[in-house]
Amino acid sequence: MKKLIAGNWKMNGSAASNAALVQALLSGSSDWQCLVAVCVPAPYLAQVRGLVAGTGIDLGAQDVSQHESGAFTGEVSASMLQDCGARYAIVGHSERRQYHGETDAVVAAKAQRALASGITPIVCVGETLAEREAGRTEEVVKRQLAAVIHANGHCISEIVVAYEPVWAIGTGKTASPVQAQQVHAVLRAQLRAASAQADRVHILYGGSMNAANAVQLLSQADIDGGLVGGASLKAADFLSIIAAAQ
């Protein structure tokens, strides 16, 4: 299985900087031996779709509504994302859970909407520092993933999972390769219990992966790629991570 490197631009970018970043990535090469995606702010989906069309880069969104359509001002539906050419949509990112109060049930519903529109949800799970220190890491990530499995059981092999320890996002701290692999192995076992095709599921690491630590993280048995935040905004760093995945 090819590794998947997905950039999460978060709330960053402009028409000019987006064009420059994509051009810098493509000038680095587009003949990659791994899957590459960029998850961009909703207003730039159409622009970036044009920039990456016919290249080795897939388009992703950073969120999707749990609702199909209707009176939900400011929401973006899965069918709209499909219209914009999105292949992926991040759901349940820790920032959405923390700042927007998204529950496990909401995240599961969002994954369901994405799948129904032919979009691959990148389902984020992860524990806070307090939960890790209390020895609850396994309990927390299994609970978060279980909600998604319960809602999407028959097509659970179509999702991507991203393990993002909350304490390692944007902090510069990173789970050690051994710590990350331990959690990835737990998630893999949980997926295998739910589906005979669980080994098709990419499980990404998403806590401050960067050019310096990517090789070690990506060499672990159950780490199938990365959900890359800050480093995805710097072409040289993102290209280094892509190179590590190959």
Side-chain angles (χ1 to χ4, degrees):
M1 180 167 69
K2 289 184 177 180
K3 294 199 185 300
L4 167 61
I5 303 299
N8 174 15
W9 291 2
K10 305 194 180 185
M11 198 173 72
N12 296 290
S14 67
S17 66
N18 299 344
L21 177 55
V22 172
Q23 184 55 49
L25 292 175
L26 294 174
S27 64
S29 170
S30 58
D31 184 28
W32 296 310
Q33 302 307 306
C34 63
L35 304 172
V36 178
V38 289
C39 298
V40 311
Y44 297 124
L45 284 166
Q47 180 207 11
V48 177
R49 177 188 194 176
L51 293 172
V52 302
T55 72
I57 301 176
D58 285 313
L59 182 65
Q62 296 177 10
D63 189 27
V64 61
S65 178
Q66 63 180 307
H67 305 290
E68 193 168 348
S69 63
F72 301 102
T73 301
E75 292 281 277
V76 179
S77 73
S79 60
M80 293 173 186
L81 296 180
Q82 183 187 44
D83 261 355
C84 288
R87 161 121 190 241
Y88 298 99
I90 299 172
V91 299
H93 192 281
S94 64
E95 292 157 3
R96 301 290 314 176
R97 294 180 190 263
Q98 181 178 352
Y99 305 136
H100 300 272
E102 293 189 4
T103 64
D104 294 345
V106 166
V107 174
K110 289 185 172 196
Q112 198 168 31
R113 288 291 181 203
L115 287 165
S117 288
I119 293 169
T120 300
I122 300 176
V123 178
C124 298
V125 301
E127 82 285 9
T128 63
L129 183 59
E131 288 165 340
R132 172 166 280 273
E133 289 178 342
R136 297 181 55 218
T137 295
E138 187 171 328
E139 169 202 336
V140 169
V141 299
K142 288 178 75 173
R143 185 202 75 224
Q144 291 170 336
L145 183 56
V148 178
I149 291 172
H150 180 71
N152 302 280
H154 64 290
C155 50
I156 201 65
S157 65
E158 303 301 319
I159 73 170
V160 169
V161 177
Y163 168 56
E164 41 156 36
V166 180
W167 48 272
I169 297 171
T171 61
K173 296 180 181 177
T174 313
S176 71
V178 171
Q179 286 175 320
Q181 167 58 25
Q182 286 171 341
V183 179
H184 279 241
V186 167
L187 296 169
R188 179 81 68 202
Q190 187 176 6
L191 289 164
R192 282 177 176 154
S195 169
Q197 295 181 300
D199 288 348
R200 290 177 46 188
V201 178
H202 285 88
I203 307 178
L204 313 181
Y205 175 74
S208 295
M209 179 179 280
N210 56 49
N213 60 33
V215 171
Q216 275 194 302
L217 285 164
L218 292 167
S219 67
Q220 302 301 308
D222 291 299
I223 297 183
D224 306 316
L227 180 59
V228 183
S232 71
L233 297 169
K234 301 169 186 170
D237 289 2
F238 197 52
L239 287 167
S240 292
I241 295 170
I242 291 168
Q246 301 183 117

